[in-house]
Amino acid sequence: METIYRRPALLADLPTHYCPGCGHGTVHRLVAETIEGLGIGSRTICVAPVGCAVLAYKYFVLDCCVAAHGRAPAMATGLKRVLPDRVVFTYQGDGDLASIGGNEILHAALRGEPITVIFVNNGVYGMTGGQMAPTTPLGMRTTSSPLGREPRQQGYPIQLPELLATLPGVAYAARRSTHSVAEIRRARQAIERAFTAQLRGLGLGIVELLGACPTNWQVSPGEALEFIQQVMLPVYPLGEFKVAAELGA
Amino acid sequence: MARELWKGNEALAEAAVRAGAEAFFGYPITPQTELLEYMARRMPELGRTFLQAESEVAAIHMVYGAACAGVRALSSSSSPGISLMQEGLSYLAGSEVPCVLVDIMRGGPGLGNIQPSQSDYFQLTRSAGHGDFHPLVLAPATVQEAVDLMYGSFELAFGWRTLVILAGDGTLGQMMEPVEMPPMRALAVERPDWALTGAAGRPPRVISSLYLDAAELEESNLRLQAKLRQMAATQQRWEGFCVEDADYLVVAFGTVARIAQSAVRAARRAGIRAGLFRPVTLWPYPRQPLEAICPQLRGVLVVEMNGGQMVEDVRCVVRERVPVRFLGHLGGVIPMPDEIEAELAQLVSLSGRAALS
Amino acid sequence: MAQGTLLIQTDRCKGCGLCIRACPQQVLVAGQHLNALGYQPVQLDEALRRCTGCGVCAWVCPDLVFTVYRESAGRAG
Ligand SMILES: Cc1ncc(C[n+]2csc(CCOP(=O)(O)OP(=O)(O)O)c2C)c(N)n1
Ligand code: SF4
Ligand code: SF4
């Protein structure tokens, strides 16, 4: 018997608090598999966000800390500056990273901090019950945009990796999705590249991952995957927007 | 060691370096900026970390991150910047991660001005962030004292796993005084047993201020409160001048205490048995020593560069036993010795019996 | 065709059904009973077709309930 798949040892053998079909579970798995695959678990430190993934420290079998809402890139900067030979990554939601923590991620990117940023975009504030996020697609109804997001009122969704890709400090910027096996495999590769950028000291690596929030989208887990394709993908094209030459094609 | 002339802000920076600070993160703001600029030169020279952050919010979270690795990390700022740092201070307190912070206070509220002030007293001692905690707050009156307190601050911070804040008014940061610098300390090689370093050959560690369960959060708070009580009982520090036989006590901290000391001297010459009580720790407030002096007193005068903040602590101790008067200046106006003397004379006439020496 | 087999940690399954949608062999079905978490965990039903051990279910499962084995030495998933 050949083992085709076994859970990574870097994810604690615990049930998670995530809702059925939540994108965070899949992204946790990909991150743990990547760190395990690179053999860097004993020197990796995770900075957890405020958001549904606040308890990430319970699941990753790694040294972890929990940042204040949006401040993970600043905290990761502090850690990485004093522990340059360790691997530091932040795990952040879209409210955490693109809204309240916009300044922290922008400046960590400008400085080219050699950290890895795992950015889960589910288009809403999950933890607080589905309010509008900077990433909410136009027209989407949320508990704080009950009539649908209207650009003159609530502005436009933010495409963060594209924006950060313009900065010289960024070594890797990509957007991937979790709605199909093929995309999940590509997501895994992107996460690995974002960590490799750090291991080679090339600068900041960020991967945005479109993830499902069936609960706040008010759809079934299966329908949530369709939602990603129909609603999210038109606003959030997948791809690699910056790949440092040293990372190879 | 020879005494050399040092500017307050730069002396604080060098003292932090000699105390073994491994990382500094800050943001420019008058009247603290020379501290940051000094660190910008000095830390890289020693192969240590200096980073100018994008904001005070980021700076304190960088300190938080570095401190999570168990290194001696610090930041410095002035009042508006401290307001921004409150979020980080609360998280640091909630997860009991030690660090040191300097506040060279300026006038507020709002943008206020860049003149010296003591108006962060409430902010630092009472409301340095949400939740139940107090930082340990030290208030030096001279550049030498600032250096000495800074030199010992990391021991306090790591020993108690607490925030230590050195609170100086703008005057202290800007003035030049002769200082004897302490020797350069070797950097700590051992990291504390809670530090995040990567879980190599040991179980993973977590640093968090999150306790979702009510009973667990209460328990963690009760532990914190017990520690704070222990700190309050053992860390009260103060200095006195002519206190032994004093009938009238002037209470002042920081550089105001130096002005008050001249006033006390003058009052003595005028026949008033005055003394000076200068808190060195603003939190914990030196209540016990003040209480011990209380029975001999006929009146108390509190002088501050704010609208009357520390005076509340003094009134808590003195209660209604004798009159407590307050003299305050705001916005960078510095109280003058003759004003203080005049207030003392008022106090004497108010309390009825002038005790002549 | 390769013969696969699964170890399903049914106590972890939240019944999201993503694996049921994704399985190319359509050998996964929602179980009838509830687990301790209150969900109907997925189960293998090979009445019509056999599991090939392709590993797709494990790739889409957000809760890591699958360990996947394959009999013949095929391509790793
Ligand atoms: C300073 C501060 N403001 C607001 C909150 C409340 N809050 C908690 S989580 C959250 C939003 C999280 O959304 P997101 O980052 O998108 O992550 P998700 O939960 O969707 O994974 C907010 C607003 C907070 N904890 N702290
Ligand atoms: S609310 Fe949304 S993001 Fe949060 S756990 Fe549930 S599905 Fe996941
Ligand atoms: S391994 Fe493949 S064939 Fe077998 S149950 Fe999973 S998805 Fe279906």
Side-chain angles (χ1 to χ4, degrees):
Chain A
M1 279 288 219
E2 184 191 356
T3 304
I4 300 298
Y5 186 84
R6 180 187 299 284
R7 64 177 300 131
L10 285 183
L11 269 193
D13 196 2
L14 290 171
T16 69
H17 69 289
Y18 298 116
C19 307
C22 173
H24 282 303
T26 305
V27 177
H28 278 31
R29 176 167 70 74
L30 298 178
V31 170
E33 284 173 10
T34 304
I35 293 171
E36 205 160 293
L38 292 168
I40 53 174
S42 62
R43 60 189 181 98
T44 296
I45 300 169
C46 165
V47 185
V50 174
C52 280
V54 67
L55 294 176
Y57 63 82
K58 273 176 63 177
Y59 310 131
F60 289 121
V61 185
L62 298 168
D63 273 11
C64 293
C65 54
V66 183
H69 198 17
R71 317 295 177 223
M75 217 173 160
T77 296
L79 275 160
K80 185 72 182 181
R81 291 278 174 141
V82 299
L83 298 173
D85 58 345
R86 304 304 201 283
V87 180
V88 180
F89 78 95
T90 70
Y91 185 110
Q92 304 179 258
D94 42 1
D96 192 79
L97 183 131
S99 188
I100 195 167
N103 208 33
E104 281 74 19
I105 184 61
L106 178 68
H107 285 271
L110 280 166
R111 290 190 301 266
E113 297 293 341
I115 59 171
T116 302
V117 177
I118 305 298
F119 169 36
V120 178
N121 177 0
N122 56 20
V124 287
Y125 284 16
M127 190 194 215
T128 42
Q131 296 78 23
M132 189 186 71
T135 45
T136 300
L138 292 182
M140 182 171 163
R141 288 168 198 267
T142 69
T143 57
S144 60
S145 58
L147 302 177
R149 183 175 188 172
E150 205 276 306
R152 275 170 305 177
Q153 281 293 325
Q154 292 125 333
Y156 295 87
I158 182 169
Q159 280 113 358
L160 211 97
E162 287 92 326
L163 207 118
L164 296 184
T166 63
L167 307 176
V170 173
Y172 185 75
R175 180 181 297 110
R176 290 295 173 204
S177 181
T178 55
H179 70 267
S180 71
V181 177
E183 287 307 332
I184 293 172
R185 287 181 198 269
R186 287 196 192 102
R188 167 79 161 76
Q189 284 165 1
I191 291 171
E192 182 154 337
R193 291 187 132 194
F195 274 98
T196 306
Q198 174 170 182
L199 292 172
R200 298 197 187 153
L202 302 177
L204 185 134
I206 178 167
V207 186
E208 175 178 323
L209 297 131
L210 303 182
C213 178
T215 304
N216 289 303
W217 296 350
Q218 300 184 346
V219 295
S220 72
E223 287 162 352
L225 302 187
E226 320 255 301
F227 185 97
I228 293 181
Q229 295 173 74
Q230 283 155 23
V231 180
M232 299 290 278
L233 283 183
V235 192
Y236 298 110
L238 307 182
E240 293 181 316
F241 307 105
K242 175 89 169 265
V243 184
E246 296 89 331
L247 278 174
Chain B
M1 262 274 194
R3 279 154 65 92
E4 297 165 312
L5 267 185
W6 281 87
K7 189 175 198 171
N9 279 331
E10 299 191 335
L12 272 162
E14 179 61 24
V17 165
R18 296 189 184 207
E22 283 183 65
F24 177 95
F25 304 91
Y27 189 84
I29 182 170
T30 313
Q32 156 280 162
T33 303
E34 296 86 357
L35 204 168
L36 169 130
E37 289 172 341
Y38 186 91
M39 287 302 207
R41 296 190 298 271
R42 188 75 166 120
M43 294 294 266
E45 193 175 280
L46 295 165
R48 304 185 194 176
T49 300
F50 167 87
L51 183 60
Q52 179 172 325
E54 60 269 35
S55 68
E56 288 88 349
V57 176
I60 197 66
H61 287 93
M62 289 172 184
V63 167
Y64 189 16
C68 280
V71 311
R72 296 181 169 202
L74 83 155
S75 185
S76 64
S77 189
S78 178
S79 315
I82 304 293
S83 298
L84 274 185
M85 288 187 180
Q86 288 206 352
E87 177 186 58
L89 298 182
S90 176
Y91 278 71
L92 280 151
S95 52
E96 295 185 273
V97 171
C99 76
V100 173
L101 177 63
V102 177
D103 177 11
I104 301 298
M105 294 179 272
R106 60 186 250 185
L111 202 47
N113 63 21
I114 58 169
Q115 305 299 326
S117 166
Q118 297 183 320
S119 56
D120 290 356
Y121 185 91
F122 283 155
Q123 171 168 235
L124 299 181
T125 63
R126 299 290 193 283
S127 60
H130 63 282
D132 290 278
F133 73 97
H134 301 278
L136 201 153
V137 184
L138 302 167
T142 64
V143 178
Q144 181 68 59
E145 191 183 24
V147 164
D148 296 341
L149 290 177
M150 172 59 89
Y151 199 61
S153 62
F154 284 107
E155 265 72 41
L156 285 173
F158 277 70
W160 290 98
R161 289 189 65 172
T162 190
L163 288 164
V164 174
I165 302 182
L166 274 91
D169 45 70
T171 317
L172 186 79
Q174 297 300 320
M175 68 189 179
M176 303 269 293
E177 284 192 316
V179 166
E180 191 179 318
M181 273 290 163
M184 182 72 90
R185 222 179 250 147
L187 293 185
V189 273
E190 290 256 315
R191 297 293 179 222
D193 61 7
W194 46 261
L196 305 185
T197 51
R202 60 159 173 79
R205 293 172 181 160
V206 173
I207 294 182
S208 160
S209 56
L210 176 75
Y211 298 87
L212 283 174
D213 180 72
E216 274 179 37
L217 181 55
E218 182 177 53
E219 194 189 305
S220 112
N221 263 288
L222 291 176
R223 254 188 292 116
L224 186 56
Q225 290 300 315
K227 178 175 84 176
L228 290 170
R229 272 197 303 279
Q230 220 182 328
M231 286 166 67
T234 58
Q235 298 303 307
Q236 298 179 19
R237 286 156 78 173
W238 68 290
E239 294 275 335
F241 174 71
C242 296
V243 167
E244 294 69 27
D245 64 341
D247 296 322
Y248 296 95
L249 194 65
V250 181
V251 184
F253 69 96
T255 59
V256 178
R258 298 169 65 165
I259 304 165
Q261 186 162 330
S262 318
V264 164
R265 245 190 232 112
R268 286 251 163 192
R269 281 196 296 272
I272 300 170
R273 279 214 300 255
L276 172 72
F277 183 89
R278 178 173 73 84
V280 174
T281 52
L282 302 185
W283 197 94
Y285 197 75
R287 284 166 177 246
Q288 283 151 7
L290 184 58
E291 174 61 46
I293 301 165
C294 256
Q296 80 195 48
L297 298 178
R298 297 183 175 183
V300 177
L301 171 64
V302 179
V303 188
E304 298 180 74
M305 280 198 286
N306 57 40
Q309 300 193 17
M310 177 181 69
V311 65
E312 291 191 4
D313 276 322
V314 174
R315 289 206 167 108
C316 266
V317 176
V318 178
R319 297 187 302 276
E320 304 295 320
R321 284 177 283 187
V322 293
V324 176
R325 280 177 73 83
F326 173 70
L327 169 65
H329 275 303
L330 299 97
V333 180
I334 294 170
M336 288 295 135
D338 51 351
E339 254 184 297
I340 300 175
E341 220 191 312
E343 276 296 324
L344 262 176
Q346 276 278 324
L347 182 66
V348 170
S349 63
L350 256 181
S351 51
R353 299 162 290 163
L356 297 173
S357 47
Chain C
M1 225 185 233
Q3 166 71 52
T5 188
L6 301 178
L7 189 71
I8 306 179
Q9 249 183 304
T10 50
D11 58 330
R12 291 293 160 70
C13 180
K14 293 174 186 160
C16 71
L18 296 186
C19 54
I20 300 176
R21 289 182 71 203
C23 174
Q25 295 297 103
Q26 294 292 296
V27 294
L28 295 172
V29 294
Q32 295 308 307
H33 69 284
L34 296 183
N35 65 12
L37 298 174
Y39 300 110
Q40 285 174 285
V42 66
Q43 62 187 46
L44 191 60
D45 177 357
E46 295 187 297
L48 297 177
R49 279 175 292 271
R50 312 295 305 266
C51 168
T52 60
C54 68
V56 159
C57 48
W59 270 89
V60 299
C61 177
D63 288 281
L64 294 99
V65 307
F66 297 101
T67 311
V68 184
Y69 304 97
R70 189 157 51 200
E71 198 108 282
S72 66
R75 187 176 58 90

